[in-house]
Amino acid sequence: MSAIVKMREFWLAVLVAALVFAANLRAPGFASPSRLAGIVEDSSILMILALGQMVVILTRSIDLSMASNLALSGMIVALINQAAPGIPVPMLMAVAAFSGLLLGALNGVFIWGLGIPAIVVTLGSLTIYRGVIFLIAGGQWVNADAFSPSFIAFTRIEVLGLPLLVWYAVVIVVAFVVLMSRTALGRSFYAVGVNPTAAVYAGINVGRTTFLAFCISGLLSGFCGYLWVSRYVIGSVEVARGYELTVVAACVIGGISISGGVGTVAGAVLGALFLGVINGALPVINISPFWQMAISGAAIILAVVLNGRGAKRSQRLILRTAEASA
């Protein structure tokens, strides 16, 4: 029990529960099952994206193009659905995921093959992908009346009282738990982030591991492109603009270290859920939009400070252990 109490994820879960309780005091009914299910549904896409960003950050990189990848992949399937509404939705989902995978792999090639810093590559691709959206759509939006009913309804089908959108997130979270804890690739992500030099001596190809991290990030971004367009029934160059910062914030709040090598699936999910609760609670308790942004920003800064203190504490413990054994 004491080990659980010491875990950052435990206290983040407690904080999320406390936020729900406090919001319910100000707005009775906020903690109702239907309202909480709605918050989870609203946070599902962010959870999926945060997991993709997590594996990239673990390798000491960052993907700033996730939201643009999402928007471009979503626009591609939106235009396909508009032109050929008879194509089955699962096929469109596969197209969106494959499109995102290609875009993520493109980032990975430049980072691995040319040795360009990830922040530079993804900052450039962020803008390029938005430009491609404008070109393929001719500057036009794809509005609700252009989508087929099945395209819109697929994420809204309920299973055991929850929409499929939530179940997609659940399946992906479970898959990531297995990936990060039971596979050599998952352990490689951590090893590369902790010490790239030692990882090389351990037989890990650092460049290839980073490349695969960006492929996973791109795959999930593309898949979320369909989920976003289907949920909000809009395809445009403005879709998810700036959302990449929210994804990074969810990771940081969840305890994923920007310096790499530290982070858990539970932390990424709870970080996304924390932002979801804040975004759902603040309007309900009549907090102005300005203060909503200020509170969210303060939460991010606090998370960074706590992460830094935790890292320094761990380093001090390592030094003390080394000195005691000397």
Side-chain angles (χ1 to χ4, degrees):
M1 182 65 183
S2 60
I4 296 176
V5 172
K6 293 179 181 179
M7 294 174 62
R8 178 191 179 89
E9 291 80 4
F10 171 80
W11 290 108
L12 185 55
V14 170
L15 179 58
V16 170
L19 286 173
V20 171
F21 178 76
N24 193 64
L25 292 178
R26 289 286 305 271
F30 181 82
S32 66
S34 60
R35 180 63 68 85
L36 293 180
I39 290 175
V40 173
E41 183 180 5
D42 292 339
S43 305
S44 294
I45 293 177
L46 180 56
M47 289 179 189
I48 297 171
L49 293 173
L51 291 173
Q53 187 70 260
M54 178 190 74
V55 294
V56 172
I57 292 176
L58 285 176
T59 63
R60 298 191 177 188
S61 300
I62 193 167
D63 188 353
L64 297 178
S65 68
M66 290 190 78
S68 297
N69 185 330
L70 178 157
L72 177 53
S73 300
M75 178 59 83
I76 289 172
V77 293
L79 292 173
I80 293 174
N81 181 250
Q82 183 181 32
I87 295 178
V89 173
M91 186 176 296
L92 293 176
M93 295 170 67
V95 169
F98 183 69
S99 170
L101 174 61
L102 290 180
L103 296 175
L106 184 62
N107 283 335
V109 166
F110 280 101
I111 295 165
W112 179 20
L114 301 180
I116 304 174
I119 191 170
V120 176
V121 172
T122 57
L123 190 61
S125 58
L126 177 158
T127 306
I128 293 171
Y129 297 164
R130 293 284 176 183
V132 173
I133 296 171
F134 186 86
L135 290 175
I136 65 174
Q140 302 298 312
W141 290 25
V142 181
N143 296 312
D145 56 357
F147 293 105
S148 66
S150 60
F151 186 94
I152 298 172
F154 205 74
T155 56
R156 292 169 172 78
I157 299 172
E158 291 196 356
V159 177
L160 300 178
L162 293 174
L164 276 180
L165 177 59
V166 175
W167 289 112
Y168 293 144
V170 170
V171 170
I172 291 172
V173 168
V174 172
F176 262 79
V177 170
V178 175
L179 171 67
M180 302 307 294
S181 63
R182 303 293 181 183
T183 69
L185 179 59
R187 291 189 290 272
S188 296
F189 290 141
Y190 285 106
V192 168
V194 171
N195 191 326
T197 303
V200 171
Y201 283 110
I204 297 172
N205 188 319
V206 174
R208 185 174 68 87
T209 301
T210 304
F211 171 78
L212 292 175
F214 276 92
C215 287
I216 292 173
S217 171
L219 177 69
L220 294 180
S221 298
F223 180 65
C224 287
Y226 163 75
L227 298 181
W228 186 293
V229 172
S230 174
R231 175 167 171 73
Y232 298 107
V233 201
I234 186 69
S236 81
V237 72
E238 296 298 326
V239 162
R241 186 178 288 278
Y243 203 65
E244 58 276 346
L245 300 181
T246 303
V247 177
V248 173
C251 290
V252 172
I253 290 172
I256 290 97
S257 174
I258 294 297
S259 59
V262 177
T264 64
V265 172
V269 171
L270 286 169
L273 193 58
F274 175 86
L275 290 178
V277 170
I278 285 183
N279 292 334
L282 296 183
V284 170
I285 60 178
N286 296 321
I287 301 295
S288 71
F290 169 78
W291 282 109
Q292 291 176 35
M293 292 187 291
I295 293 172
S296 298
I300 295 169
I301 293 173
L302 179 61
V304 172
V305 171
L306 292 176
N307 284 349
R309 289 175 64 86
K312 290 179 181 178
R313 190 180 301 112
S314 298
Q315 292 170 0
R316 286 197 296 268
L317 289 173
I318 293 173
L319 288 173
R320 288 173 184 171
T321 303
E323 291 171 356
S325 60

